[in-house]
Amino acid sequence: MLCRLGGGRLRPLPGLQPGARGPRFAPVPTRGVTPSVLPARAVASVSAVNPGDAGGWYEALAASAPVRGAEDMLLAAHGVSGLPWWGSILLTTVALRGAVTLPLAAYQHYILAKVENLKPEIQNIAQHLNYEVAVRAKQLGWSKRVARFTYLKNMQRLVSELYVRDNCHPFKATVLVWIQLPMWIFMSVALRNFSTGATHSEAGFSVQEQLATGGVLWIPDLTALDSTWILPICIGAINLVIVEIVALQKVGMSRFQTGVTHFVRGISVLMIPIAATVPSSLVLYWFCSSFMGLSQNLLLRSPRFRQFCRIPLTKGDSDTPYKDLFAAFYAKYISRK
């Protein structure tokens, strides 16, 4: 018996000599059977795939060092304070918001205020540079494309020099996002590990059992869902209020900024059904975090607090920010006809 190799060459199968009669096999019925088109190695590799491998990335995240650190911090807060678990979650959230995100948010406002105060100088530079480029383009016969490229290149260089001079590059204002978002994810995964029984305390008691009796009011069991949807709706409402406060502060938003605002509004609404499908421990943390975010946003509007944080005054600052915010909210959503 022969087999065909690449290139059309024939070679005897091992163990069979040319002309020898091999063993007879019963014919296999082929009706309704589709022959496999995958090589045996590919079939073996597919068969070896574990169906649970799809969640491997989450398992790696749940067992990562930052999540373990968040778990240890929650356990330490619970052990030191002696509070029930709902109080420990509240205490940890307030501590993280006050010690980490509030200083970063103040720094963000500090950078943005300095950038805002540079706008008149940038506009003046742009006006003079536009005139100089127009003169040079006329003298040297530049095309509009070359003149535009020259203007943009020099304008970018001059603006960067201003940012370096005042140490206020706008990218520094994004530090809050790069720290707050991972912290929120790690804390959420840590609480989910607790609620599903994936982590135990050092004393050997199941944290899941402690959470089951560590709730408050209508959520006595923090491992169960909030069937009333009270906290999920509150989370969505608070996040929407935060979005509107930021939107009311901006005048004449660009199309991109308007699109981002609509996107964040959609995410805030989407968080409601998501929060209704996770353990109440996570929902309680999300609610506390959103409430602290709202309080932080309002606090950073206070002229006294901004002065305490040494945030520079800008042209748009007001001596009565809360009164102005209420007036803008009333004019946009209540008295609008």
Side-chain angles (χ1 to χ4, degrees), residues 211-260:
L211 286 172
T213 58
V216 64
L217 298 178
W218 66 90
I219 47 171
D221 184 358
L222 293 178
T223 65
L225 308 182
D226 183 3
S227 58
T228 64
W229 282 55
I230 294 177
L231 282 182
I233 293 176
C234 289
I235 291 172
I238 292 175
N239 289 335
L240 283 174
V241 170
I242 295 174
V243 173
E244 298 310 316
I245 288 177
V246 176
L248 290 173
Q249 189 177 7
K250 298 179 180 179
V251 180
M253 291 192 300
S254 64
R255 182 178 299 179
F256 175 77
Q257 291 175 327
T258 303
V260 171

Side-chain angles (χ1 to χ4, degrees), residues 13 19 28 39 41 55 81 101 116-117 127 136 158 177 207 209 228 231 245 259 295 322-323 328:
L13 285 174
V28 179
R41 184 177 301 174
S81 66
T101 60
E116 181 72 19
N117 290 334
Q127 183 177 0
R136 295 290 292 176
L158 293 172
V177 177
V207 180
E209 295 177 358
T228 64
L231 282 182
I245 288 177
S295 303
Y322 304 115
K323 182 179 179 180

Side-chain angles (χ1 to χ4, degrees), residues 2-223:
L2 303 177
C3 68
R4 185 176 298 275
L5 301 176
R9 204 157 41 88
L10 297 178
R11 178 180 177 183
L13 285 174
L16 292 178
Q17 299 296 328
R21 297 183 62 183
R24 296 180 178 273
F25 296 93
V28 179
T30 59
R31 179 174 297 181
V33 178
T34 304
S36 174
V37 295
L38 294 175
R41 184 177 301 174
V43 175
S45 63
V46 171
S47 301
V49 174
N50 188 344
D53 288 347
W57 67 270
Y58 180 81
E59 294 176 0
L61 174 63
S64 63
V67 172
R68 295 303 183 194
E71 293 174 356
D72 293 340
M73 181 174 55
L74 286 166
L75 289 173
H78 179 64
V80 172
S81 66
L83 295 172
W85 267 107
W86 70 267
S88 300
I89 294 173
L90 176 62
L91 174 65
T92 306
T93 307
V94 173
L96 286 176
R97 279 285 189 169
V100 179
T101 60
L102 180 58
L104 290 176
Y107 179 71
Q108 181 188 55
H109 280 249
Y110 172 81
I111 294 295
L112 293 178
K114 297 186 75 172
V115 172
E116 181 72 19
N117 290 334
L118 281 177
K119 284 186 176 181
E121 189 173 354
I122 292 176
Q123 293 174 355
N124 188 35
I125 291 175
Q127 183 177 0
H128 284 81
L129 181 61
N130 189 34
Y131 174 77
E132 292 179 5
V133 170
V135 172
R136 295 290 292 176
K138 186 175 182 180
Q139 293 175 348
L140 301 177
W142 290 347
S143 63
K144 291 184 178 179
R145 183 178 180 181
V146 173
R148 183 65 178 172
F149 175 79
T150 303
Y151 169 79
L152 292 176
K153 183 178 180 180
N154 284 276
M155 190 65 195
Q156 183 179 8
R157 175 180 58 82
L158 293 172
V159 171
S160 298
E161 290 176 357
L162 290 179
Y163 290 155
V164 171
R165 186 196 69 185
D166 289 3
N167 193 20
C168 62
H169 196 283
F171 183 78
K172 294 182 177 181
T174 65
V175 174
L176 174 63
V177 177
W178 298 116
I179 293 181
Q180 180 177 333
L181 182 58
M183 184 176 68
W184 184 86
I185 293 174
F186 297 147
M187 287 289 294
S188 299
V189 176
L191 287 170
R192 188 181 185 279
N193 286 347
F194 286 163
S195 300
T196 57
T199 305
H200 294 74
S201 65
E202 296 179 356
F205 297 101
S206 172
V207 180
Q208 184 182 25
E209 295 177 358
Q210 297 176 13
L211 286 172
T213 58
V216 64
L217 298 178
W218 66 90
I219 47 171
D221 184 358
L222 293 178
T223 65

Side-chain angles (χ1 to χ4, degrees), residues 89-90 93-94 97 283-293:
I89 294 173
L90 176 62
T93 307
V94 173
R97 279 285 189 169
V283 186
L284 180 61
Y285 166 66
W286 292 352
F287 170 77
C288 295
S289 180
S290 296
F291 184 80
M292 287 297 297

